[in-house]
Amino acid sequence: MRRKLAAGNWKMNGMQASLAELARLAQAHRDSAVEILICPPATLLQAATAYAPLTVGAQDCHMNASGAHTGDLSAAQIRDAGGRAVIVGHSERRADHHESSQMVRAKARAAQAEGLTAIVCMGESAAQREAQNTLDIIGGQLAGSIPDTATGENLVVAYEPIWAIGTGRVPTLAQIGEVHDFIRARLERRFGAGVGRSVRILYGGSVKPDNAAGIFTVSNVDGALVGGASLTAAAFSPIISALDAV
Ligand code: PEP
């Protein structure tokens, strides 16, 4: 059984006052069967660990364990601050920081070596979807970004079509299902049925309270990676409840 996961990516948003949102979420979902993971900015990571049952992750890590990398965080530092997971390969980092799948794979490996769960993101652009290249793109990102060290505990895959992130545009349920089934088949082919079936696959891209329930009915959708709607308990809570109800 794969435990459902609702992960919030706060991106470069959130101040100390935002921790009040975590208190509300923790109170509302204290008996939830869903794993609730918050990935706040690094400035709030340690403080965010005080809100059990919520777990906390980072939004990126460096591929090296330590050294002269100004502004970066290592997986060991994330772990030391109380983090349990880290997002790697988000499309904003692939674009803004020119991160290749090879770099993402090294980051995921570094995270797993420190006992963190790597949430490896991938997704096609609008032009790639229009050209009907979605599965080729996802297949290439899967092969390139996921290290051989993957297990059901240390890997989560997040399918996030770039054109759906922050836009309010969402693929059809059939389109989401096609990609998630494809990812599952590729994971099983590469890692065997045991590991391949135990890795959780999240959908991300404009998940909101009014579309979450439908998305969570799709096969091989084990939860969501949520950006904008994870910033307030008022918006994130109904998404978590919808996942809990599946
Ligand atoms: C994201 O950036 O991971 C994301 C899914 O953002 P949003 O939910 O705001 O589209």
Side-chain angles (χ1 to χ4, degrees):
M1 262 303 270
R2 296 185 295 270
R3 189 174 176 205
K4 303 285 181 194
L5 173 60
N9 174 15
W10 280 15
K11 311 191 187 192
M12 200 171 67
N13 299 294
M15 301 290 182
Q16 299 293 327
S18 315
L19 295 169
E21 301 295 334
L22 301 187
R24 289 187 195 105
L25 276 180
Q27 170 67 19
H29 299 282
R30 59 189 183 280
D31 299 320
S32 173
V34 168
E35 179 182 352
I36 306 165
L37 173 74
I38 303 294
C39 299
T43 48
L44 298 178
L45 200 152
Q46 192 158 22
T49 63
Y51 300 92
L54 310 186
T55 55
V56 178
Q59 299 175 14
D60 179 51
C61 69
H62 198 277
M63 63 189 77
N64 292 347
S66 63
H69 302 290
T70 302
D72 282 315
L73 287 179
S74 73
Q77 289 172 316
I78 293 164
R79 176 106 200 154
D80 186 52
R84 293 288 170 266
V86 59
I87 298 168
V88 291
H90 192 282
S91 60
E92 288 154 14
R93 291 208 60 92
R94 289 182 190 256
D96 296 355
H97 299 269
H98 310 291
E99 293 187 5
S100 64
S101 286
Q102 197 183 11
M103 291 166 69
V104 173
R105 183 189 189 114
K107 288 173 179 231
R109 194 185 302 114
Q112 292 170 344
E114 278 301 329
L116 299 178
T117 298
I119 302 176
V120 180
C121 301
M122 56 197 66
E124 81 285 1
S125 67
Q128 288 163 337
R129 178 160 282 279
E130 274 157 32
Q132 304 195 326
N133 284 336
T134 298
L135 296 186
D136 280 349
I137 295 297
I138 299 300
Q141 290 180 341
L142 265 175
S145 308
I146 293 178
D148 293 330
T149 44
T151 68
E153 287 77 45
N154 71 18
L155 175 70
V156 170
V157 175
Y159 168 55
E160 298 206 304
I162 297 168
W163 52 273
I165 294 176
T167 61
R169 293 176 60 206
V170 180
T172 65
L173 300 187
Q175 287 172 325
I176 294 173
E178 179 187 36
V179 177
H180 280 240
D181 288 350
F182 173 80
I183 292 171
R184 177 72 62 212
R186 284 293 167 99
L187 290 171
E188 287 185 30
R189 192 173 84 179
R190 178 164 166 200
F191 296 105
V195 170
R197 285 184 198 154
S198 61
V199 173
R200 291 174 289 181
I201 307 173
L202 307 183
Y203 168 76
S206 296
V207 176
K208 305 289 177 202
D210 62 354
N211 62 20
I215 291 168
F216 296 147
T217 63
V218 176
S219 78
N220 283 312
V221 172
D222 300 308
L225 180 54
V226 183
S230 72
L231 292 172
T232 62
F236 201 24
S237 190
I239 295 172
I240 297 166
S241 297
L243 191 55
D244 231 343
V246 177

